[in-house]
Structures are given as C-alpha cells and as structure tokens.
Amino acid sequence: MNIAFVDLKRQYQRLEKEMNAALAEVLRHCQFIMGPEIQKLEAELARRAGTKHAVVCASGTDALLLPLLDQGLGPGQAVFTSPFTFIATAEVISLLGATPVFVDIDPRTFNIDPNRLEEAVTKVARAGKLKPAAVIPVDLFGLPADYDPIMALAQDHGLLVLEDAAQSFGGQYKGRPVGGLGHVGATSFFPAKPLGCYGDGGAVFTNDDEQVTRLRSLRVHGQGRHKYENVRIGVNARLDTVQAAVLLVKLTVFEDEIAARQSVAETYTRGLERQVVTPSVPEGYSSAWAQYSVLTDRRDEVTAALNKKGVPTAVYYPIPLHLQPAFAALGYQRGDFPHSESAADRIFSLPMHPYLREDELDFIVRAVVQVAGERT
C-alpha cells in the first residue's frame, strides 16, 4: 500500500476546479504582489482567529519576527520559549540580538510548562543580567498551550506573549480560536500545515489598531505613506498574491478538513493506546492535528519496521533546541530539560492528513500493533 505522510495531491483533486479558477484570476489581473486577494484573505483569517486584524506575510518565520521587530526586542532582553520546537521559534529571538531562555515542557502535551515558566522568569529577573521581555508559547503539533496561566504571569511581569500558532491554526482553547490567545499571534502556511499554501506563507494576528499599521509597514521595508518613504527599518515579508488565492480556496473546505483530522486522530488513539503513548488533549482544548505524534522507548526499531512495511514516519524533533550547535553559546547541557530530551528521544509521528482512507488507517494501525506490541 502506497501511503503518503501528507497527501496534497488528494486535496488538489478535490479543489481542482476552484483552485485553477483562482489561479487563473491572478494571472488575468497580474497583480502578483499585494493583489486584491491579500485583503480578502486577511479579513477571512482575522474572522476565524477572532481578532480585529490579520497581516499576511512571506513565511511563518516572518510572522514570528515581525511582532518582535515591532516591540524593539534586542540585546539585554530575555525571551522565554520551549526547547522542543522547530528552530524558527528561537531563531527569530537570536536574530534580533535578544537571548532565548528555554523552559521545559509538560510531558503530556509537549507544550511549555507554565509552572516552570514562572520559575524561569523569576530566576532571570533576580539574576539581573537580562530583562524578561517576552514569552513565545508554542502550540505544538496543533494543540494550544495553556494560555490562562501564561497570560496571568505575563501581566504580573510585563511580558509580551507571542503565540506561536504555526501548527495550530484551526484549533481552540477553552472555546476561543487559536491566533488570538496571546497579545499577538503568528501562524505558518507551509504546505504541510493544516492550512497550507503552495509555497511559504504566514500571518500575524492582532487586536491593536496601531500595531497593525506598524506591522504592515515592517513587512514592506518600513514603508510610510508611499513605497519610497521609509519610516522604520523593516524587511521584505510580503505574501505573494498567488499564495493568497490558494489559501482562499483551501479555506472553503478547512472546517471539513479539521473535522477529518480529528477523526483520524480518534482512530489512531482507539487503536494504539495500548501499544504507544498517544497524544493527550486536555478538556476544553481542541487540536488542529498538524501531526499525530506518539512515544515509545523503541522508537528507532519501531519506525524502521513500519517504514519497511510501507508506513511512512517522521521525527519532530530529534534534537531539542538547547542541544543544537546553533545555540551552543547559551551554555545549556544535556539534562537541563529532561522532559524535552525524553520526548526528542522517544517521539515519532504517523501519517496525518484529512484524506486518509479507512483502509489506509486500518493498515497503519495494524502495522503499529504488530511491530510495537503491547506496552508493559
């Protein structure tokens, strides 16, 4: 059986007529940069995130960078985040000269532990070498972080909360949609995301009328009243019109796809909870299921056997950020964040997309049961 880890071809087959028409319209009007589809997309994204504004940009990394640029983060400031995530989360902190301060995860959700976050903020503040400035919680694998205690802590310490919703757009936290759970939010439209375009793309979410004006300036070289007036130092972070057109079409089936992802996840959990540690979704949360990630002490053996049977797997993420060579200067060592390290050593992901057929799911579940055996 030929199973795709993420199957964008089946999605295109469903949307072929509408997608081709949308792309043809962009080719007809030839406004390839900041065309009319951009504003339409921003309005629809803001509506779905429950925010006043959305600012689309060239990538999920830019979506994280722009709010930090707007806040003027830089040397001498500490930004707290998880070490168990893609490098972009911490990369943008270092690019601005600020210092990433890592905080271990809750081993059940893989998201930043609010209790350990409070300890870290207090420790840095008392040390006095860095000023606590911001927190970037990561909604890993589609599951929102625990924002109520994070926002309360941020209020007490005067911290910016930038929601890294790169994997979670379409999820919810206690009845509230992802994107508007922090002071500002960021998501990614990389093709494999729950809502993905046909290249790179991202969006920033905010309720601040003044901030949205600055963000729109920052994404176009700090542009002012016209393209040749520059009122601040910015970047080139515009989203191509073609990608906006693609996303507008995909949004027409997005709720159906999120529901299908949920169904896939439920099938996996029912079939595999005795073989591997299946994902934990706290009451009141809903995941966008960017990935379905499980834990086993025999990860390499199990994934090798699954791949041999034709079941693709992936490991997100094999090296936590505090052990990455890029962050060696921060001085972290193995053992500093045991939950993140344990997850990195034991985790793997199964195929997850809305177009997995019942026979494919049955094949995957039976394969995992066969090669993993029952947990003792």
Side-chain angles (χ1 to χ4, degrees), residues 11 15 18-23 25-26 29 35-48 56 169 189 195-198 239-255 257:
Q11 183 191 55
L15 297 170
E18 296 85 352
M19 192 68 72
N20 290 350
L23 295 175
E25 174 60 17
V26 176
H29 65 56
E37 287 82 358
I38 295 292
Q39 288 188 343
K40 293 178 183 178
L41 176 62
E42 289 180 335
E44 182 61 19
L45 291 172
R47 184 185 71 81
R48 289 170 183 261
V56 295
F169 190 72
F189 301 129
L195 179 63
C197 56
Y198 288 168
L239 181 71
D240 292 342
T241 308
V242 164
Q243 304 302 344
V246 168
L247 290 166
L248 283 167
V249 173
K250 289 194 177 189
L251 279 168
T252 64
V253 297
F254 188 54
E255 287 88 353
E257 291 186 342

Side-chain angles (χ1 to χ4, degrees), residues 27 68 80 82 112 140 167 177 193 206 222 224 226 244 256 266 343:
L27 295 175
L68 300 183
F80 302 85
S82 166
I112 196 167
L140 202 68
Q167 300 178 6
K193 304 296 186 186
T206 180
H226 55 79
D256 288 348
E266 290 171 357

Side-chain angles (χ1 to χ4, degrees), residues 40-328:
K40 293 178 183 178
L41 176 62
E42 289 180 335
E44 182 61 19
L45 291 172
R47 184 185 71 81
R48 289 170 183 261
T51 57
K52 291 179 68 175
H53 308 287
V55 178
V56 295
C57 54
S59 69
T61 305
D62 282 334
L64 291 167
L65 179 64
L66 288 171
L68 300 183
L69 275 173
D70 175 58
Q71 295 298 306
L73 262 70
Q77 294 182 307
V79 181
F80 302 85
T81 194
S82 166
F84 192 54
T85 181
F86 184 60
I87 192 171
T89 307
E91 182 180 46
V92 293
I93 302 168
S94 294
L95 282 172
L96 295 176
T99 301
V101 177
F102 295 119
V103 179
D104 210 357
I105 59 172
D106 180 328
R108 298 164 300 173
T109 66
F110 307 125
N111 288 330
I112 196 167
D113 185 326
N115 293 323
R116 289 184 170 86
L117 175 61
E118 184 171 14
E119 294 170 3
V121 172
T122 301
K123 182 178 179 181
V124 169
R126 287 176 178 171
K129 294 181 180 180
L130 297 170
K131 180 181 178 181
V135 181
I136 307 180
V138 180
D139 302 342
L140 202 68
F141 304 142
L143 180 71
D146 191 359
Y147 282 92
D148 284 351
I150 292 171
M151 293 300 290
L153 175 67
Q155 183 173 355
D156 290 344
H157 291 270
L159 305 176
L160 170 76
V161 177
L162 168 55
E163 178 187 3
D164 183 347
Q167 300 178 6
S168 62
F169 190 72
Q172 290 195 348
Y173 173 78
K174 299 182 180 180
R176 291 177 283 158
V178 157
L181 301 176
H183 297 118
V184 61
T187 196
S188 169
F189 301 129
F190 183 77
K193 304 296 186 186
L195 179 63
C197 56
Y198 288 168
D200 274 313
V204 183
F205 301 97
T206 180
N207 290 307
D208 189 325
D209 294 338
E210 295 181 358
Q211 183 181 45
V212 74
T213 299
R214 297 192 301 268
L215 290 169
R216 287 173 177 159
S217 169
L218 285 166
R219 76 172 168 187
V220 192
H221 303 287
Q223 183 175 297
R225 293 169 298 176
H226 55 79
K227 66 184 295 185
Y228 296 117
E229 180 189 51
N230 306 95
V231 297
R232 53 182 56 87
I233 300 299
V235 293
N236 180 11
R238 298 168 298 192
L239 181 71
D240 292 342
T241 308
V242 164
Q243 304 302 344
V246 168
L247 290 166
L248 283 167
V249 173
K250 289 194 177 189
L251 279 168
T252 64
V253 297
F254 188 54
E255 287 88 353
D256 288 348
E257 291 186 342
I258 291 293
R261 287 176 179 272
Q262 177 64 36
S263 179
V264 170
E266 290 171 357
T267 297
Y268 279 151
T269 298
R270 284 195 304 269
L272 301 177
E273 57 189 356
R274 295 176 64 181
Q275 278 69 38
V276 292
V277 180
T278 54
S280 174
V281 179
E283 185 177 355
Y285 295 53
S286 66
S287 177
W289 295 109
Q291 306 293 346
Y292 188 90
S293 300
V294 301
L295 299 172
T296 177
D297 293 332
R298 300 166 48 230
R299 196 245 325 266
D300 292 347
E301 176 189 347
V302 169
T303 54
L306 288 173
N307 295 341
K308 189 173 181 179
K309 287 178 173 292
V311 176
T313 61
V315 176
Y316 305 100
Y317 297 92
I319 306 175
L321 296 187
H322 68 288
L323 300 180
Q324 290 283 0
F327 294 114

